[in-house]
Amino acid sequence: MDMSLVTRGEMEMAELPGHFRFCLHTGKLVLLAILVSAGVVLQILACALYDNWWPMLTAITYVLLPMPLLFFAASERSSLFSESDSSWVNATKFLAGASAVGSIAIPAILKHSGVIGWGALAMDVSSFFVFVFAIMCYIRMSGEYDYRII
């Protein structure tokens, strides 16, 4: 490994005993699990507290969001964060962006049409931001050099 690519934090991690590093990695995994669980709980509470299950429609976008990334850009991870001439990568970026916008737009449209109230809207949108924060934490915590953009 080229020493110029190694950061100070990675050198400090290398000096730690193996069991301590394992504990830190387990803690990161637990943090991500708690964040995702909190997002799911907020999504369910947005529906259950107001006895209206229309906000669960947003869960469809949470399932659809990673699909273009899995199908179209599985081999070109670094090209997702830069400009690309590949039409598949551009289609992936468009579909993922449209699904992310839909995660905010669906609750806003439901509120505008009077189907849900302000509380359900706030919980649904906060659920989205908790999921986004969990994804950003995962990208930051991953050890791959391609994802060190945040």
Side-chain angles (χ1 to χ4, degrees):
M1 179 193 268
D2 187 15
M3 290 305 287
S4 64
L5 296 175
V6 177
T7 63
R8 181 176 175 227
E10 290 172 349
M11 289 179 64
E12 289 174 359
M13 282 292 287
E15 295 171 2
L16 295 173
H19 65 281
F20 192 69
R21 275 186 283 152
F22 177 75
C23 184
L24 286 176
H25 291 298
T26 305
K28 292 176 184 179
L29 184 63
V30 168
L31 174 70
L32 290 175
I34 289 171
L35 285 173
V36 170
S37 299
V40 170
V41 167
L42 280 171
Q43 183 72 37
I44 292 173
L45 282 177
C47 301
L49 286 179
Y50 300 100
D51 198 26
N52 185 352
W53 291 90
W54 279 104
M56 195 57 80
L57 193 62
T58 309
I60 295 171
T61 60
Y62 297 148
V63 173
L64 293 178
L65 184 62
M67 292 305 162
L69 298 170
L70 292 174
F71 293 139
F72 299 130
S75 63
E76 300 181 35
R77 294 179 187 211
S78 63
S79 63
L80 289 176
F81 302 116
S82 61
E83 287 195 34
S84 174
D85 292 332
S86 172
S87 60
W88 290 110
V89 173
N90 289 335
T92 299
K93 290 177 184 179
F94 174 76
L95 291 173
S99 184
V101 168
S103 298
I104 299 266
I106 289 173
I109 291 169
L110 290 174
K111 172 60 186 119
H112 180 72
S113 63
V115 175
I116 64 173
W118 283 107
L121 173 73
M123 286 186 159
D124 207 2
V125 171
S126 63
S127 169
F128 172 74
F129 286 118
V130 168
F131 280 130
V132 168
F133 183 67
I135 291 169
M136 289 174 55
C137 286
Y138 171 74
I139 290 172
R140 180 70 177 117
M141 289 177 189
S142 90
E144 296 180 17
Y145 290 108
D146 291 342
Y147 293 110
R148 299 224 178 213
I149 60 167
I150 298 176

